[in-house]
Amino acid sequence: MKNKMRFIIPKLIGATLIVGLLTFVLGLLFKLLIMCTVLGTAIMLIAAKMRNRKSRKVFHGHRSAISPDPQTESYTAVRPQSVDVQSNFAIIPIH
């Protein structure tokens, strides 16, 4: 019995160390993936806020070109000034 213990104990200790090391590495990998996910989400949110802020600035900057009075609502199509208004619109069927 004593010989069996001397034979099994070193292998059991070695297996325990290997399993412990693998668990440690997998834990580090899992933490790294979580950290990358959180960091990527934060970066995407910041980029979206900056993009929205920039688009709002562009929209407010061009608002006076669309309608002279921003309080009035316009229900007509916005056309460039270079396009002449034509009254003879037609529906052209496509077969």
Side-chain angles (χ1 to χ4, degrees):
M1 186 69 174
K2 194 173 188 181
N3 287 336
K4 282 187 180 180
M5 291 301 254
R6 285 186 183 171
F7 182 72
I8 292 176
I9 295 243
K11 289 185 178 183
L12 189 60
I13 291 173
T16 304
L17 289 175
I18 290 173
V19 170
L21 186 62
L22 286 175
T23 303
F24 180 71
V25 169
L26 287 176
L28 282 178
L29 182 65
F30 181 71
K31 288 177 185 178
L32 182 67
L33 287 174
I34 287 177
M35 187 176 65
C36 288
T37 303
V38 169
L39 188 64
T41 304
I43 289 172
M44 286 178 22
L45 287 175
I46 291 170
K49 280 189 176 187
M50 291 176 72
R51 198 175 325 119
N52 286 341
R53 187 176 297 158
K54 191 181 288 187
S55 68
R56 269 190 261 142
K57 284 182 182 177
V58 168
F59 179 71
H60 288 305
H62 293 291
R63 188 177 195 131
S64 61
I66 294 173
S67 65
D69 186 13
Q71 301 297 330
T72 61
E73 293 184 15
S74 177
Y75 293 104
T76 60
V78 177
R79 294 190 179 107
Q81 294 177 356
S82 63
V83 176
D84 295 328
V85 178
Q86 297 177 355
S87 61
N88 55 355
F89 291 109
I91 298 175
I92 301 171
I94 298 174
H95 295 278

